[in-house]
Amino acid sequence: MGRIRGIAWYTLLGLLSLVFIAPIVWMLTTSFKSADEATRVPPTILPAEPTTSAYDTLFTGDSQTPVLRWFLNSLLAASGQALLVLVVASMAAYALARMEFRGKKIVFALIIGTLFVPIFTLIIPNFLIIDRLGWLDSLWALIVPGAASAFGVFFLRQFFLGLPRELEEAALLEGANSWQIFTKVILPLSKPALATLAVISFLTNWNDFIWPVYTLFSPENFTLPPGLGTLQGAYNINYPVIMAGAALASIPALILFMVSQRYIIEGVSRSGLKG
């Protein structure tokens, strides 16, 4: 009975894996098809005559479709925002988890309350602030506004609360101040949570479409999501080219997942966010 249950369980996991992997395989195979084969009915799974013409078109775009520039812009914006989120959220979370000050619970409640505010209600206020700062049509508009992450503060606070206080007390007896305890004791112990938050912040910025559309106007300043959206008009819905662009955009996400999978599981399990 147990063996049958095990076989059924692994069969179910295999089917679920197939559901998630199939779109990736379809994206990759379509990117190596010709434009005619990509729209053929019935569709073909593997390209009959593999070609790299979609990637050639993608990487030799004109000034209106500089795909490599979009990739670099996305990489800089996502990395910059992830770094800022780690700095801001870690310091705020440590203060809320370990320090005592008047109104701490109110501050934490207000931070959590912002998680329930629909993101679209903040587009106009954030746009006006970015306009006043002169950051429209620049990467600063994509990096700075998301640096104050309420989720990041909550996530790291939960993790810090789970760390033993004895380590901090020992460091305090050795003469360390609050900043030294934070940087030399807390942060080194928080690598799983920091890695998890960095990945979440990076992918959130990397996949963002709405905010770049509102704040970026020049084709050379686009990031990948809005930039790839213009490929439909630029190439008359050339599906292999679109799929090649999607494959390019998925590379960092797949690399991050493979590198940080262990840290993400550990960070989530130790932060009180288990399902």
Side-chain angles (χ1 to χ4, degrees):
M1 186 66 180
R3 186 175 181 180
I4 296 177
R5 183 179 300 175
I7 294 174
W9 176 248
Y10 283 109
T11 301
L12 177 61
L13 291 178
L15 292 175
L16 289 175
S17 299
L18 183 62
V19 169
F20 286 101
I21 294 175
I24 299 177
V25 173
W26 183 265
M27 174 186 68
L28 291 175
T29 56
T30 302
S31 69
F32 289 101
K33 295 178 182 179
S34 64
D36 293 334
E37 186 180 1
T39 57
R40 188 177 301 171
V41 178
T44 58
I45 298 177
L46 297 176
E49 297 181 1
T51 175
T52 60
S53 60
Y55 291 94
D56 295 337
T57 303
L58 200 66
F59 294 134
T60 58
D62 54 25
S63 59
Q64 297 300 310
T65 56
V67 177
L68 292 180
R69 178 66 181 269
W70 296 342
F71 184 89
L72 179 60
N73 290 343
S74 289
L75 196 61
L76 291 174
S79 301
Q81 185 175 94
L83 180 60
L84 276 179
V85 167
L86 290 181
V87 173
V88 175
S90 63
M91 290 191 292
Y94 180 69
L96 291 170
R98 287 293 194 258
M99 297 182 178
E100 296 297 331
F101 55 89
R102 182 176 298 178
K104 184 175 76 169
K105 292 183 179 179
I106 297 177
V107 171
F108 182 64
L110 290 175
I111 292 175
I112 296 301
T114 61
L115 293 173
F116 299 95
V117 178
I119 190 64
F120 292 102
T121 63
L122 303 176
I123 288 180
I124 293 178
N126 284 337
F127 181 88
L128 294 176
I129 293 173
I130 294 301
D131 184 27
R132 292 288 183 89
L133 292 172
W135 288 349
L136 287 179
D137 201 24
S138 72
L139 292 182
W140 292 112
L142 307 183
I143 296 174
V144 177
S149 170
F151 171 78
V153 175
F154 169 73
F155 181 78
L156 291 181
R157 176 185 177 272
Q158 296 301 107
F159 189 91
F160 291 162
L161 288 175
L163 296 177
R165 287 183 176 271
E166 290 78 8
L167 296 175
E168 299 170 64
E169 293 172 355
L172 191 62
L173 291 175
E174 292 293 330
N177 56 36
S178 297
W179 178 252
Q180 291 172 327
I181 293 174
F182 172 66
T183 56
K184 298 183 183 299
V185 178
I186 298 299
L187 292 184
L189 293 174
S190 305
K191 289 180 181 178
L194 294 174
T196 302
L197 181 58
V199 170
I200 294 174
S201 301
F202 182 94
L203 293 180
T204 299
N205 186 286
W206 181 268
N207 295 320
D208 192 12
F209 177 82
I210 298 297
W211 182 244
V213 166
Y214 275 92
T215 57
L216 302 177
F217 314 123
S218 306
E220 66 271 13
N221 291 332
F222 283 172
T223 53
L224 274 175
L228 293 178
T230 65
L231 292 179
Q232 296 187 21
Y235 300 108
N236 297 320
I237 314 185
N238 187 326
Y239 291 105
V241 173
I242 294 174
M243 291 300 178
L248 177 66
S250 66
I251 290 175
L254 294 175
I255 292 176
L256 278 175
F257 176 78
M258 290 185 292
V259 170
S260 60
Q261 181 181 11
R262 177 171 62 88
Y263 293 103
I264 293 175
I265 295 174
E266 183 179 355
V268 172
S269 64
R270 293 178 59 186
S271 298
L273 299 178
K274 293 183 288 185

